[in-house]
Each structure stands twice: as structure tokens, then as C-alpha cells.
Amino acid sequence: MKGFFSSESSGGVMPGVKVSDITFAGVPVRVYEPPAGGEGHLRRGVMFFHGGGWALGSTKKGTYDTINRMVSDELNTVVVSVEYRLYPEVYFPEPYLDCLAAAKHFLSPEVLARYAIDPERVAVSGDSAGGNLAAAVAQEVSNDDSMSVKFSVQALIYPVLQALDFNTPSYLQNQNIPILHRPLMVRFWLQYLSADLSLQSQFLVNNHSSLHQSAITPELRARLDWSVLLLPKYKKNNNKPLIVENESRGFVKEVPGLLDVRAAPLLAESEVLAKGPRAYILTCEYDVLRDDGLMYARRLQDAGVTVTSDHYEDGFHGCFSFIQWPLEFDVGKRALRGYINWLQNNL
């Protein structure tokens, strides 16, 4: 493919890519098969989870469809985009379980052989909430000894990775920056974890951290201590790291999943992270989730995982999808090109 949208590609739709809407283990997926290849030629494979706060979005239309067609065509890759169930139909852990079931099906030797995919060149990827699901699924698959094929790489686009600290420097710096305002991200979390939406104001000031005061040990707090995990240039604000108070305020109900690593992959033990595949983590300066991604990159590196941290100083949340008129941004095109180039060189 020559450039992003060449004249012969009809606005980004690759005519040679075969698209099929089927199910993997009962989960709806859209499969993109490239025109290149042939007998005896194994191809790459990518499983993609879309973003949207576990409540919005679809891979079957709009920019996600365009991006998946581009990746399939340009990299000679079979892309499987998962249509996991969304809020309000379901809550955590159902979206995660949908993605995990689809991933296990995709990684089965029989399915990989059917699509002529090299079992040593399979990626899991996603943006925002999809990045959360990709990270969680990568952790589970990497630590599942019953699976003979694992993901080779994980590519996470401004992932959301924890719900304990909404006062990181990036959450405060970018709290009013479109398209993901700080209160909106808190609301997405409350919805996903099936919590009382009236708790939003308490979550915004980290009062919910007293919820599991006995469970949040110093070791657990260290896994999201931005004062240690972030480089000095990202610690411009005078806010302080999460501190769990000795007394519970008594106004917060139990929130299922708050400390569950399947919902908050940043909280995983180092031993779990160490088994994970090579990682690409894209972050944006003007994004409340910037520090989630940067802290995860640091923790993966500390665990011995090879990480490429791709930070866009002029990037904002959602820019990866803003590549077509009327929402067309140069930083979005650069971010997408960076993602595709990394897959080209590392998968």
C-alpha cells in the first residue's frame, strides 16, 4: 500500500482484503485475510480489541475497520477483530472473558493452520479499553501452561490499566482535555465494574482507596507508585501518590474487580509480567491515561520484558483513530504509522 489512502483503495478500503463475520468460541469476530501469500507461505496474525470505555464502539465500521484492513493488507496479516459484549448488556468480567475465549480459539493450532498463520508471529493489540483487554489477555495467556501457542508480542495503544489512582500527574494535567475527560474515564470504570455511579465524586478524589484498605499493601501500592515509576519530566504537578488512610470513610460499597488484575493489569505481580511477550506501548502527552501506559512500560521493563515506548508529545487520547476527514490529524497518522512499522519490524 502506498501511503494511507491511495486512489485505488477507495478511501482506505482495501479491495483485496477478504472480510468475514464469524464467531470464535461463540464470540463474534471480524476476520481480515490479506490477498498476498499462497501455498506454503505462513502469515502474521493479529488479534485486535477496540476501545470505547467497555461501553462504546465496534470494529465493523468507521476507522477501526479501516485500520484493520490497512494492517491486513500492508503487513500480509490475518487480523481478527473481536466484537466483545459491552455495557450495559454486561459488566466485568464478561468483556474480558469474551476476549480471552476468542484469543484461546485463535491461538489453537487448528485455527492458526486454517488461516496459514505462523504460530511464532501472533500479536494481541488494542486501544484504550481495548488496550486494557489486550494487556489482561496477554497476561493470562502467557501464564497458562496448558496453551502450546502464546502471543509473540503485545501492542497497546494508550491503554487504561488501573482504577485506584485518578490523581496521577496525567489525570490532573489533562482532566479537561478532549476526548477523554477525567470524570468520563471514572464513569467508564464505575460502569465496567458494576459500581454505583453516584460514587464518581469519591473516586475522583481517591476516597475509594479506603475501600480495600486491608488489601492494599505497600507492595501493591508500589505497582502504581508514579513517584517512582515515572521519569521526573512527567511529575510536574505537586500532587502526591495514592495513600490509603487508616480509617475507612464508610461511604463506599464493595466494588467488584477493583483489585482484580484482569481488570487492572498494572497491578499484576512482577512474576506474571515477566512471562509476557515483547511489548509496544503508545502514549500521548495530552491524555489522562498517559501515566498508566508509562508506568506499565516501566514495570514490564523492570520484569525483564523488552518494551518499545512510543510517546507522542503532541498526541491526545483517540488520535490513533483520527486519520480520516473530517477528523484528520497529522499526529494520528504518525501514530498509526508508528504502530504499523513496529509490527512490521517486530512481528
Short mmCIF file of all heavy atoms in Angstrom, two decimals, residues 107-164:
data_model
loop_
_atom_site.label_atom_id
_atom_site.label_comp_id
_atom_site.label_asym_id
_atom_site.label_seq_id
_atom_site.Cartn_x
_atom_site.Cartn_y
_atom_site.Cartn_z
N LEU A 107 -5.55 -18.89 18.99
CA LEU A 107 -4.22 -19.44 19.19
C LEU A 107 -4.16 -20.97 19.10
O LEU A 107 -3.07 -21.54 19.19
CB LEU A 107 -3.66 -19.00 20.55
CG LEU A 107 -3.32 -17.50 20.67
CD1 LEU A 107 -2.98 -17.15 22.11
CD2 LEU A 107 -2.17 -17.12 19.75
N SER A 108 -5.29 -21.61 18.93
CA SER A 108 -5.28 -23.06 18.80
C SER A 108 -4.57 -23.44 17.50
O SER A 108 -4.73 -22.78 16.47
CB SER A 108 -6.69 -23.63 18.81
OG SER A 108 -7.41 -23.22 17.66
N PRO A 109 -3.75 -24.48 17.53
CA PRO A 109 -3.01 -24.88 16.33
C PRO A 109 -3.90 -25.11 15.12
O PRO A 109 -3.51 -24.80 13.98
CB PRO A 109 -2.31 -26.17 16.77
CG PRO A 109 -2.14 -26.00 18.26
CD PRO A 109 -3.37 -25.29 18.71
N GLU A 110 -5.11 -25.62 15.35
CA GLU A 110 -6.01 -25.90 14.24
C GLU A 110 -6.45 -24.62 13.54
O GLU A 110 -6.48 -24.57 12.30
CB GLU A 110 -7.25 -26.66 14.74
CG GLU A 110 -6.96 -28.02 15.36
CD GLU A 110 -6.46 -27.92 16.79
OE1 GLU A 110 -6.53 -26.82 17.39
OE2 GLU A 110 -5.95 -28.95 17.30
N VAL A 111 -6.79 -23.60 14.30
CA VAL A 111 -7.25 -22.34 13.71
C VAL A 111 -6.09 -21.61 13.02
O VAL A 111 -6.24 -21.08 11.91
CB VAL A 111 -7.90 -21.44 14.78
CG1 VAL A 111 -8.23 -20.06 14.21
CG2 VAL A 111 -9.17 -22.10 15.32
N LEU A 112 -4.92 -21.61 13.65
CA LEU A 112 -3.77 -20.97 13.03
C LEU A 112 -3.43 -21.65 11.71
O LEU A 112 -3.10 -20.98 10.71
CB LEU A 112 -2.57 -21.02 13.97
CG LEU A 112 -2.69 -20.19 15.25
CD1 LEU A 112 -1.46 -20.39 16.13
CD2 LEU A 112 -2.88 -18.72 14.95
N ALA A 113 -3.53 -22.98 11.67
CA ALA A 113 -3.25 -23.70 10.44
C ALA A 113 -4.29 -23.39 9.37
O ALA A 113 -3.96 -23.26 8.18
CB ALA A 113 -3.21 -25.20 10.72
N ARG A 114 -5.54 -23.24 9.78
CA ARG A 114 -6.61 -22.96 8.83
C ARG A 114 -6.36 -21.64 8.11
O ARG A 114 -6.64 -21.50 6.91
CB ARG A 114 -7.95 -22.89 9.56
CG ARG A 114 -9.16 -22.66 8.65
CD ARG A 114 -10.41 -22.42 9.49
NE ARG A 114 -10.53 -23.39 10.56
CZ ARG A 114 -11.21 -23.19 11.69
NH1 ARG A 114 -11.79 -22.01 11.89
NH2 ARG A 114 -11.28 -24.12 12.61
N TYR A 115 -5.82 -20.65 8.83
CA TYR A 115 -5.56 -19.34 8.23
C TYR A 115 -4.11 -19.17 7.78
O TYR A 115 -3.71 -18.07 7.40
CB TYR A 115 -5.93 -18.24 9.22
CG TYR A 115 -7.42 -18.11 9.45
CD1 TYR A 115 -8.02 -18.59 10.61
CD2 TYR A 115 -8.24 -17.52 8.49
CE1 TYR A 115 -9.39 -18.49 10.82
CE2 TYR A 115 -9.62 -17.40 8.69
CZ TYR A 115 -10.18 -17.89 9.86
OH TYR A 115 -11.53 -17.78 10.06
N ALA A 116 -3.34 -20.24 7.81
CA ALA A 116 -1.94 -20.22 7.39
C ALA A 116 -1.14 -19.15 8.14
O ALA A 116 -0.40 -18.35 7.55
CB ALA A 116 -1.83 -20.00 5.88
N ILE A 117 -1.29 -19.15 9.48
CA ILE A 117 -0.60 -18.19 10.33
C ILE A 117 0.58 -18.87 11.01
O ILE A 117 0.46 -19.97 11.55
CB ILE A 117 -1.56 -17.61 11.40
CG1 ILE A 117 -2.69 -16.83 10.72
CG2 ILE A 117 -0.81 -16.72 12.38
CD1 ILE A 117 -3.78 -16.39 11.69
N ASP A 118 1.71 -18.19 11.01
CA ASP A 118 2.90 -18.66 11.70
C ASP A 118 2.64 -18.56 13.21
O ASP A 118 2.42 -17.47 13.73
CB ASP A 118 4.10 -17.79 11.31
CG ASP A 118 5.41 -18.29 11.88
OD1 ASP A 118 5.39 -19.04 12.87
OD2 ASP A 118 6.46 -17.91 11.33
N PRO A 119 2.66 -19.68 13.95
CA PRO A 119 2.37 -19.63 15.39
C PRO A 119 3.37 -18.83 16.20
O PRO A 119 3.09 -18.50 17.36
CB PRO A 119 2.39 -21.12 15.80
CG PRO A 119 3.18 -21.80 14.75
CD PRO A 119 2.92 -21.04 13.48
N GLU A 120 4.51 -18.49 15.62
CA GLU A 120 5.50 -17.68 16.32
C GLU A 120 5.41 -16.20 15.96
O GLU A 120 6.26 -15.41 16.37
CB GLU A 120 6.91 -18.21 16.02
CG GLU A 120 7.15 -19.63 16.53
CD GLU A 120 8.57 -20.09 16.32
OE1 GLU A 120 9.38 -19.31 15.74
OE2 GLU A 120 8.88 -21.22 16.73
N ARG A 121 4.36 -15.85 15.21
CA ARG A 121 4.20 -14.45 14.79
C ARG A 121 2.74 -14.01 14.97
O ARG A 121 2.08 -13.60 14.03
CB ARG A 121 4.64 -14.26 13.34
CG ARG A 121 6.07 -14.71 13.07
CD ARG A 121 6.44 -14.55 11.60
NE ARG A 121 6.71 -13.16 11.25
CZ ARG A 121 6.96 -12.74 10.01
NH1 ARG A 121 6.93 -13.61 9.00
NH2 ARG A 121 7.22 -11.47 9.77
N VAL A 122 2.27 -14.07 16.21
CA VAL A 122 0.89 -13.70 16.52
C VAL A 122 0.89 -12.61 17.59
O VAL A 122 1.50 -12.77 18.65
CB VAL A 122 0.06 -14.91 17.00
CG1 VAL A 122 -1.41 -14.52 17.13
CG2 VAL A 122 0.22 -16.09 16.05
N ALA A 123 0.20 -11.51 17.32
CA ALA A 123 0.15 -10.38 18.24
C ALA A 123 -1.24 -10.22 18.84
O ALA A 123 -2.24 -10.61 18.24
CB ALA A 123 0.53 -9.09 17.50
N VAL A 124 -1.27 -9.61 20.03
CA VAL A 124 -2.53 -9.15 20.60
C VAL A 124 -2.41 -7.64 20.75
O VAL A 124 -1.36 -7.12 21.14
CB VAL A 124 -2.83 -9.83 21.95
CG1 VAL A 124 -1.78 -9.51 23.01
CG2 VAL A 124 -4.23 -9.44 22.44
N SER A 125 -3.47 -6.93 20.39
CA SER A 125 -3.40 -5.48 20.33
C SER A 125 -4.74 -4.86 20.69
O SER A 125 -5.78 -5.51 20.61
CB SER A 125 -2.97 -5.04 18.92
OG SER A 125 -2.93 -3.64 18.80
N GLY A 126 -4.70 -3.57 21.07
CA GLY A 126 -5.94 -2.87 21.36
C GLY A 126 -5.66 -1.44 21.76
O GLY A 126 -4.53 -1.10 22.14
N ASP A 127 -6.67 -0.60 21.68
CA ASP A 127 -6.52 0.80 22.08
C ASP A 127 -7.46 1.14 23.21
O ASP A 127 -8.59 0.68 23.26
CB ASP A 127 -6.76 1.73 20.89
CG ASP A 127 -8.22 1.79 20.47
OD1 ASP A 127 -8.83 0.72 20.29
OD2 ASP A 127 -8.76 2.91 20.33
N SER A 128 -6.95 1.94 24.17
CA SER A 128 -7.75 2.43 25.30
C SER A 128 -8.31 1.26 26.11
O SER A 128 -7.54 0.45 26.64
CB SER A 128 -8.85 3.36 24.78
OG SER A 128 -9.42 4.10 25.82
N ALA A 129 -9.63 1.12 26.21
CA ALA A 129 -10.19 -0.03 26.91
C ALA A 129 -9.80 -1.33 26.22
O ALA A 129 -9.65 -2.37 26.87
CB ALA A 129 -11.71 0.09 26.98
N GLY A 130 -9.62 -1.27 24.90
CA GLY A 130 -9.13 -2.45 24.18
C GLY A 130 -7.70 -2.77 24.54
O GLY A 130 -7.29 -3.94 24.56
N GLY A 131 -6.90 -1.74 24.86
CA GLY A 131 -5.55 -1.95 25.34
C GLY A 131 -5.55 -2.61 26.70
O GLY A 131 -4.68 -3.44 27.02
N ASN A 132 -6.52 -2.23 27.53
CA ASN A 132 -6.71 -2.89 28.83
C ASN A 132 -6.97 -4.38 28.63
O ASN A 132 -6.35 -5.23 29.28
CB ASN A 132 -7.88 -2.22 29.55
CG ASN A 132 -8.40 -2.99 30.74
OD1 ASN A 132 -9.11 -3.98 30.59
ND2 ASN A 132 -8.06 -2.54 31.93
N LEU A 133 -7.89 -4.70 27.73
CA LEU A 133 -8.25 -6.09 27.48
C LEU A 133 -7.08 -6.86 26.88
O LEU A 133 -6.83 -8.01 27.24
CB LEU A 133 -9.47 -6.15 26.56
CG LEU A 133 -10.76 -5.59 27.17
CD1 LEU A 133 -11.82 -5.35 26.09
CD2 LEU A 133 -11.30 -6.52 28.25
N ALA A 134 -6.32 -6.21 25.98
CA ALA A 134 -5.17 -6.86 25.37
C ALA A 134 -4.10 -7.18 26.41
O ALA A 134 -3.51 -8.27 26.40
CB ALA A 134 -4.60 -5.99 24.26
N ALA A 135 -3.83 -6.24 27.31
CA ALA A 135 -2.83 -6.46 28.35
C ALA A 135 -3.26 -7.58 29.29
O ALA A 135 -2.46 -8.45 29.65
CB ALA A 135 -2.60 -5.17 29.14
N ALA A 136 -4.54 -7.58 29.68
CA ALA A 136 -5.04 -8.61 30.59
C ALA A 136 -5.03 -9.98 29.94
O ALA A 136 -4.64 -10.98 30.57
CB ALA A 136 -6.45 -8.25 31.05
N VAL A 137 -5.44 -10.06 28.69
CA VAL A 137 -5.44 -11.33 27.97
C VAL A 137 -4.01 -11.82 27.76
O VAL A 137 -3.73 -13.02 27.91
CB VAL A 137 -6.18 -11.19 26.62
CG1 VAL A 137 -5.93 -12.41 25.73
CG2 VAL A 137 -7.68 -11.03 26.86
N ALA A 138 -3.09 -10.92 27.45
CA ALA A 138 -1.69 -11.30 27.27
C ALA A 138 -1.13 -11.90 28.55
O ALA A 138 -0.39 -12.90 28.51
CB ALA A 138 -0.87 -10.10 26.83
N GLN A 139 -1.47 -11.29 29.68
CA GLN A 139 -1.00 -11.83 30.96
C GLN A 139 -1.53 -13.24 31.19
O GLN A 139 -0.78 -14.14 31.58
CB GLN A 139 -1.45 -10.92 32.10
CG GLN A 139 -0.71 -9.60 32.19
CD GLN A 139 -1.16 -8.77 33.38
OE1 GLN A 139 -1.92 -9.22 34.24
NE2 GLN A 139 -0.70 -7.53 33.44
N GLU A 140 -2.82 -13.44 30.98
CA GLU A 140 -3.43 -14.74 31.23
C GLU A 140 -2.86 -15.81 30.31
O GLU A 140 -2.52 -16.91 30.76
CB GLU A 140 -4.94 -14.63 31.05
CG GLU A 140 -5.70 -15.94 31.22
CD GLU A 140 -5.56 -16.56 32.60
OE1 GLU A 140 -5.34 -15.80 33.57
OE2 GLU A 140 -5.66 -17.80 32.71
N VAL A 141 -2.77 -15.49 29.02
CA VAL A 141 -2.26 -16.47 28.06
C VAL A 141 -0.80 -16.82 28.36
O VAL A 141 -0.40 -17.99 28.30
CB VAL A 141 -2.41 -15.93 26.62
CG1 VAL A 141 -1.64 -16.80 25.63
CG2 VAL A 141 -3.88 -15.88 26.24
N SER A 142 0.00 -15.81 28.69
CA SER A 142 1.41 -16.04 28.95
C SER A 142 1.65 -16.94 30.15
O SER A 142 2.67 -17.63 30.23
CB SER A 142 2.13 -14.70 29.17
OG SER A 142 2.05 -13.89 28.03
N ASN A 143 0.73 -16.93 31.09
CA ASN A 143 0.88 -17.70 32.31
C ASN A 143 0.05 -18.97 32.32
O ASN A 143 -0.05 -19.65 33.35
CB ASN A 143 0.53 -16.83 33.52
CG ASN A 143 1.60 -15.80 33.82
OD1 ASN A 143 2.52 -16.07 34.59
ND2 ASN A 143 1.48 -14.62 33.22
N ASP A 144 -0.57 -19.31 31.18
CA ASP A 144 -1.37 -20.52 31.06
C ASP A 144 -0.52 -21.64 30.45
O ASP A 144 -0.29 -21.68 29.25
CB ASP A 144 -2.60 -20.24 30.17
CG ASP A 144 -3.57 -21.42 30.13
OD1 ASP A 144 -3.19 -22.54 30.52
OD2 ASP A 144 -4.72 -21.21 29.69
N ASP A 145 -0.07 -22.55 31.30
CA ASP A 145 0.82 -23.62 30.83
C ASP A 145 0.12 -24.63 29.95
O ASP A 145 0.78 -25.45 29.29
CB ASP A 145 1.43 -24.34 32.04
CG ASP A 145 2.37 -23.44 32.84
OD1 ASP A 145 2.94 -22.50 32.25
OD2 ASP A 145 2.51 -23.67 34.06
N SER A 146 -1.20 -24.57 29.89
CA SER A 146 -1.93 -25.53 29.06
C SER A 146 -1.95 -25.12 27.59
O SER A 146 -2.31 -25.93 26.73
CB SER A 146 -3.37 -25.68 29.56
OG SER A 146 -4.13 -24.50 29.31
N MET A 147 -1.55 -23.88 27.29
CA MET A 147 -1.58 -23.39 25.92
C MET A 147 -0.22 -23.59 25.26
O MET A 147 0.80 -23.10 25.77
CB MET A 147 -1.99 -21.92 25.88
CG MET A 147 -3.40 -21.68 26.42
SD MET A 147 -3.92 -19.95 26.24
CE MET A 147 -3.98 -19.80 24.45
N SER A 148 -0.22 -24.26 24.11
CA SER A 148 1.04 -24.53 23.42
C SER A 148 1.51 -23.35 22.61
O SER A 148 2.71 -23.21 22.34
CB SER A 148 0.87 -25.75 22.51
OG SER A 148 -0.14 -25.53 21.53
N VAL A 149 0.60 -22.48 22.20
CA VAL A 149 0.95 -21.28 21.42
C VAL A 149 0.60 -20.05 22.24
O VAL A 149 -0.51 -19.94 22.78
CB VAL A 149 0.20 -21.24 20.07
CG1 VAL A 149 0.60 -19.99 19.29
CG2 VAL A 149 0.50 -22.49 19.25
N LYS A 150 1.54 -19.12 22.35
CA LYS A 150 1.34 -17.87 23.08
C LYS A 150 1.47 -16.69 22.12
O LYS A 150 1.97 -16.83 21.00
CB LYS A 150 2.38 -17.73 24.20
CG LYS A 150 2.52 -18.93 25.14
CD LYS A 150 1.27 -19.14 25.97
CE LYS A 150 1.40 -20.33 26.90
NZ LYS A 150 2.30 -20.08 28.04
N PHE A 151 1.03 -15.53 22.56
CA PHE A 151 1.22 -14.33 21.75
C PHE A 151 2.71 -13.98 21.70
O PHE A 151 3.41 -14.06 22.71
CB PHE A 151 0.43 -13.16 22.31
CG PHE A 151 -1.05 -13.26 22.10
CD1 PHE A 151 -1.92 -13.45 23.17
CD2 PHE A 151 -1.58 -13.19 20.82
CE1 PHE A 151 -3.29 -13.55 22.97
CE2 PHE A 151 -2.96 -13.29 20.61
CZ PHE A 151 -3.81 -13.48 21.70
N SER A 152 3.17 -13.59 20.53
CA SER A 152 4.58 -13.23 20.34
C SER A 152 4.86 -11.81 20.82
O SER A 152 5.93 -11.52 21.34
CB SER A 152 4.95 -13.34 18.86
OG SER A 152 4.53 -14.56 18.31
N VAL A 153 3.90 -10.92 20.61
CA VAL A 153 4.04 -9.52 21.01
C VAL A 153 2.69 -8.99 21.48
O VAL A 153 1.63 -9.54 21.16
CB VAL A 153 4.57 -8.62 19.87
CG1 VAL A 153 5.92 -9.11 19.36
CG2 VAL A 153 3.57 -8.54 18.73
N GLN A 154 2.75 -7.90 22.25
CA GLN A 154 1.54 -7.16 22.65
C GLN A 154 1.75 -5.71 22.26
O GLN A 154 2.79 -5.13 22.52
CB GLN A 154 1.28 -7.29 24.16
CG GLN A 154 2.45 -6.91 25.05
CD GLN A 154 2.18 -7.17 26.52
OE1 GLN A 154 1.07 -6.94 27.02
NE2 GLN A 154 3.18 -7.64 27.24
N ALA A 155 0.75 -5.14 21.60
CA ALA A 155 0.83 -3.75 21.15
C ALA A 155 -0.34 -2.99 21.77
O ALA A 155 -1.51 -3.23 21.43
CB ALA A 155 0.77 -3.67 19.63
N LEU A 156 -0.03 -2.10 22.70
CA LEU A 156 -1.04 -1.41 23.50
C LEU A 156 -1.05 0.07 23.15
O LEU A 156 -0.05 0.77 23.29
CB LEU A 156 -0.76 -1.60 24.99
CG LEU A 156 -0.42 -3.04 25.44
CD1 LEU A 156 -0.12 -3.07 26.94
CD2 LEU A 156 -1.55 -4.00 25.10
N ILE A 157 -2.22 0.55 22.70
CA ILE A 157 -2.39 1.94 22.30
C ILE A 157 -3.09 2.70 23.42
O ILE A 157 -4.23 2.41 23.76
CB ILE A 157 -3.23 2.05 21.01
CG1 ILE A 157 -2.72 1.05 19.95
CG2 ILE A 157 -3.22 3.47 20.49
CD1 ILE A 157 -1.30 1.23 19.55
N TYR A 158 -2.41 3.67 24.01
CA TYR A 158 -2.88 4.42 25.21
C TYR A 158 -3.84 3.58 26.07
O TYR A 158 -5.02 3.93 26.24
CB TYR A 158 -3.49 5.78 24.86
CG TYR A 158 -4.24 5.94 23.54
CD1 TYR A 158 -5.46 5.31 23.31
CD2 TYR A 158 -3.73 6.75 22.53
CE1 TYR A 158 -6.14 5.49 22.12
CE2 TYR A 158 -4.40 6.92 21.33
CZ TYR A 158 -5.62 6.28 21.14
OH TYR A 158 -6.30 6.45 19.95
N PRO A 159 -3.31 2.50 26.66
CA PRO A 159 -4.17 1.60 27.45
C PRO A 159 -4.58 2.19 28.79
O PRO A 159 -3.86 3.00 29.39
CB PRO A 159 -3.26 0.38 27.67
CG PRO A 159 -1.88 0.97 27.70
CD PRO A 159 -1.90 2.07 26.66
N VAL A 160 -5.75 1.79 29.27
CA VAL A 160 -6.20 2.11 30.63
C VAL A 160 -5.92 0.89 31.48
O VAL A 160 -6.33 -0.22 31.14
CB VAL A 160 -7.70 2.51 30.65
CG1 VAL A 160 -8.57 1.50 29.92
CG2 VAL A 160 -8.18 2.68 32.09
N LEU A 161 -5.21 1.07 32.61
CA LEU A 161 -4.64 -0.09 33.28
C LEU A 161 -4.89 -0.16 34.79
O LEU A 161 -4.53 -1.16 35.42
CB LEU A 161 -3.13 -0.14 33.02
CG LEU A 161 -2.74 -0.27 31.55
CD1 LEU A 161 -1.26 0.04 31.36
CD2 LEU A 161 -3.06 -1.67 31.04
N GLN A 162 -5.49 0.87 35.37
CA GLN A 162 -5.73 0.83 36.82
C GLN A 162 -6.84 1.80 37.19
O GLN A 162 -7.07 2.79 36.49
CB GLN A 162 -4.45 1.16 37.60
CG GLN A 162 -3.84 2.52 37.30
CD GLN A 162 -4.42 3.66 38.13
OE1 GLN A 162 -4.92 3.44 39.24
NE2 GLN A 162 -4.34 4.89 37.61
N ALA A 163 -7.51 1.49 38.32
CA ALA A 163 -8.62 2.34 38.77
C ALA A 163 -8.46 2.72 40.24
O ALA A 163 -9.44 3.05 40.91
CB ALA A 163 -9.96 1.60 38.57
N LEU A 164 -7.24 2.69 40.75
CA LEU A 164 -7.01 3.05 42.15
C LEU A 164 -6.57 4.49 42.33
O LEU A 164 -6.79 5.08 43.38
CB LEU A 164 -5.94 2.13 42.76
CG LEU A 164 -6.40 0.74 43.18
CD1 LEU A 164 -5.23 -0.04 43.77
CD2 LEU A 164 -7.55 0.81 44.18
#
